[in-house]
Amino acid sequence: MRYLLVILDGAADRKNAELNGKTPLEAANMKNLNKIARQSLAGMMYPIEKGIAPESDSAVFSILSYNIKNYTGRGAMEALGAGLKVGKNDIALRANFATIDENKMIISRRCSLTEKEAKELEKEINKIKIKGVKIKFKATVDYRGALLISPRGRKLSQEITNVDIGYIKKGTISIAKAASEGRLPIPKAKPLKNTKEAKFTAKIVNEFIDKAIEVLSKSNVNKKRIAEGKQAANAILLRDASLGLPDVESIEKKFGIKFCFVTEMPVERGIAKLLKMHEIKFESAKRGIERYEKLAKIVNKNTGNCDFVYVHIKGPDEPGHAGDPKKKRDILKAIDNGFFSKLNLYDTRICVTCDHATPCSLKAHSSDPVPVIIGRFRNGDNLRFDENIDSKGSLGIFNGNELISKILHMDEAIK
């Protein structure tokens, strides 16, 4: 028996008037996924636990069976997934290219860039010098990036606030805030603890933000974008400061089988690398159905080489943040027609779920539970994969860190 876990990033949602009162999952009418779902056991899952609106990183860490108390934060996972070497004394942060106005008020938290533009800006940002530390910035996908701060003599601390109006830091994770109305200033990093290390780290982060704005305002990339009527990527927002890497047991040692992964984004790649999974490379410039067909082909080709394959599909999350339910519906349709229609599930137990809900009405993650199916079984629950599973599913409702064990031991549980 092989195992396949597919996480549809942010696919769960709420009913929306633009879709005649349906959620994007309902409106997409995913016939291939729903065929699998009808032959599966179904339930609802809190990715971490009830009441938490998780980010993808903390949700995936939990879903892959790890205790969130052992997590140090997203910054390190972004940096690791971007190919940066994170030392035990280094601070890593998640970065967004953003757009600000002449008064340094945030116009947009996310400024989309081409790969060429992002790499040019990366070069310019890496010329920044700050006394007492070494700075390394890496642009990753679209507006995203990672910042690594390495100390030179003095110690650093992850106990600082986020420099991002979209997320509040609580412990080692960030909690999403609903979209704010109107323009707001870039917040200052502040120490969360009254220590020399936290105060020094906050000072360094604020100095980097100021110097990045100065560098980006002079960039030819941004001058060209402005001339073309595009928003300038003239600021960087930072969040999820983390010190070093979490000390965790490898997932193969934990479960005694070989794990492989296919992801599209650096943060999930970083978590999988941390857990010592084997990477299945996936690169495609194509979009829509063709992209997902290629992904299915790669998964089918590699399933036989692994006991357990984890696949993370980013697509549905972004239109959730953009508040575009119709686009989210269409992306889910493309995933169904391109990916789920092509999967070879012979001798494979498949599980499909979401890492969190991203309701279009909120434009942010919510604490809503997400649907989960584990199949296929001769006598399934005969339900669709959507938010209506609720109490109808035989799996009931459970927390994310129980999922892997449920997948691996489902045959024993139903005897």
Side-chain angles (χ1 to χ4, degrees):
M1 175 68 72
R2 306 289 179 181
Y3 303 94
L4 173 62
L5 170 61
V6 180
I7 295 181
L8 302 176
D9 199 313
D13 209 301
R14 296 176 182 174
K15 296 185 183 299
N16 197 292
E18 290 186 48
L19 300 175
N20 297 318
K22 294 182 178 181
T23 70
L25 275 172
E26 291 177 294
N29 190 26
M30 301 172 74
K31 62 181 182 180
N32 297 294
L33 176 54
N34 286 329
K35 182 178 179 181
I36 297 169
R38 284 193 292 272
Q39 298 172 330
S40 301
L41 304 183
M44 297 294 284
M45 180 180 74
Y46 291 107
I48 297 178
E49 60 185 40
K50 187 176 182 178
I52 292 179
E55 284 301 286
S56 290
D57 62 314
S58 53
V60 168
F61 194 74
S62 173
I63 290 170
L64 293 177
S65 79
Y66 288 82
N67 190 328
I68 201 69
K69 292 180 181 177
N70 297 326
Y71 189 55
T72 57
R74 180 166 184 161
M77 298 302 99
E78 291 279 354
L80 186 62
L84 296 173
K85 186 177 180 181
V86 183
K88 65 179 182 179
N89 297 316
D90 294 340
I91 288 289
L93 300 103
R94 158 78 188 266
N96 277 17
F97 284 105
T99 302
I100 57 175
D101 64 18
E102 63 278 6
N103 297 314
K104 297 185 179 180
M105 304 291 278
I106 299 171
I107 297 172
S108 173
R109 292 182 50 254
R110 296 173 169 140
C111 183
S112 292
L113 298 167
T114 65
E115 183 177 354
K116 183 179 179 181
E117 287 173 330
K119 289 302 177 184
E120 283 298 315
L121 294 179
E122 176 188 293
K123 290 178 186 177
E124 294 173 22
I125 290 164
N126 278 319
K127 294 176 183 178
I128 292 173
K129 304 293 183 185
I130 298 178
K131 185 177 179 181
V133 297
K134 180 182 177 182
I135 295 293
K136 180 68 175 178
F137 180 82
K138 189 77 177 281
T140 54
V141 180
D142 197 2
Y143 56 83
R144 303 170 183 85
L147 177 68
L148 192 68
I149 305 175
S150 302
R152 287 176 168 164
R154 295 185 64 172
K155 291 183 179 179
L156 301 173
S157 170
Q158 66 182 28
E159 300 296 338
I160 61 169
T161 58
N162 288 337
V163 187
D164 189 328
I165 59 173
Y167 298 88
I168 299 171
K169 190 175 183 185
K170 291 190 177 182
T172 59
I173 66 174
S174 283
I175 305 296
K177 293 168 61 180
S180 302
E181 297 295 330
R183 297 183 183 184
L184 296 171
I186 299 176
K188 291 287 186 182
K190 297 177 182 178
L192 288 169
K193 290 188 176 178
N194 188 26
T195 65
K196 292 179 182 178
E197 294 82 4
K199 290 176 182 176
F200 177 64
T201 307
K203 176 180 174 294
I204 293 298
V205 166
N206 289 329
E207 186 174 345
F208 171 81
I209 295 290
D210 290 340
K211 288 188 174 181
I213 290 172
E214 184 179 350
V215 167
L216 293 171
S217 69
K218 299 175 183 177
S219 169
N220 287 329
V221 170
N222 280 322
K223 289 177 182 177
K224 184 179 178 182
R225 285 179 64 87
I226 292 169
E228 294 173 349
K230 299 176 182 176
Q231 289 186 332
N234 56 2
I236 292 177
L237 304 181
L238 297 172
R239 59 182 169 94
D240 303 304
S242 47
L243 180 65
L245 296 171
D247 182 14
V248 294
E249 181 181 38
S250 77
I251 198 165
E252 293 189 356
K253 186 176 180 181
K254 189 178 178 80
F255 291 106
I257 58 175
K258 183 178 180 180
F259 280 77
C260 299
F261 73 95
V262 188
T263 66
E264 298 180 280
M265 304 302 292
V267 64
E268 289 85 24
R269 183 179 298 114
I271 292 171
K273 283 185 174 182
L274 174 75
L275 303 182
K276 302 293 192 294
M277 291 187 183
H278 304 271
E279 183 167 14
I280 299 168
K281 296 287 187 180
F282 171 64
E283 293 182 7
S284 176
K286 296 183 181 298
R287 296 189 177 275
I289 292 175
E290 288 182 277
R291 178 180 184 84
Y292 298 122
E293 285 178 339
K294 183 175 181 180
L295 178 59
K297 185 177 180 180
I298 287 170
V299 171
N300 289 336
K301 182 179 178 181
N302 287 275
T303 302
N305 301 322
C306 299
D307 299 305
F308 194 112
V309 179
Y310 153 50
V311 181
H312 197 106
I313 301 178
K314 179 64 178 174
D317 186 54
E318 294 188 345
H321 283 289
D324 190 340
K326 292 180 179 178
K327 185 174 181 180
K328 188 171 183 178
R329 173 202 60 196
D330 293 344
I331 287 175
L332 288 167
K333 282 184 179 180
I335 292 170
D336 190 57
N337 292 326
F339 181 74
F340 287 111
S341 70
K342 305 297 182 182
L343 280 182
N344 178 3
L345 296 177
Y346 175 73
D347 195 33
T348 300
R349 168 120 315 131
I350 184 172
C351 173
V352 183
T353 189
C354 315
D355 50 354
H356 51 75
T358 310
C360 294
S361 57
L362 295 182
K363 298 184 182 180
H365 299 181
S366 73
S367 60
D368 301 346
V370 299
V372 56
I373 57 169
I374 301 175
R376 297 177 293 173
F377 294 96
R378 189 170 297 171
N379 296 311
D381 288 343
N382 197 29
L383 295 170
R384 290 162 51 101
F385 183 83
D386 59 34
E387 302 83 355
N388 297 314
I389 291 172
D390 200 16
S391 60
K392 304 179 189 75
S394 57
L395 294 178
I397 189 162
F398 58 94
N399 290 338
N401 62 5
E402 303 172 44
L403 182 62
I404 301 295
S405 290
K406 285 183 181 293
I407 297 169
L408 295 178
H409 303 296
M410 190 52 63
D411 286 313
E412 301 168 21
I414 63 174
K415 283 181 181 178

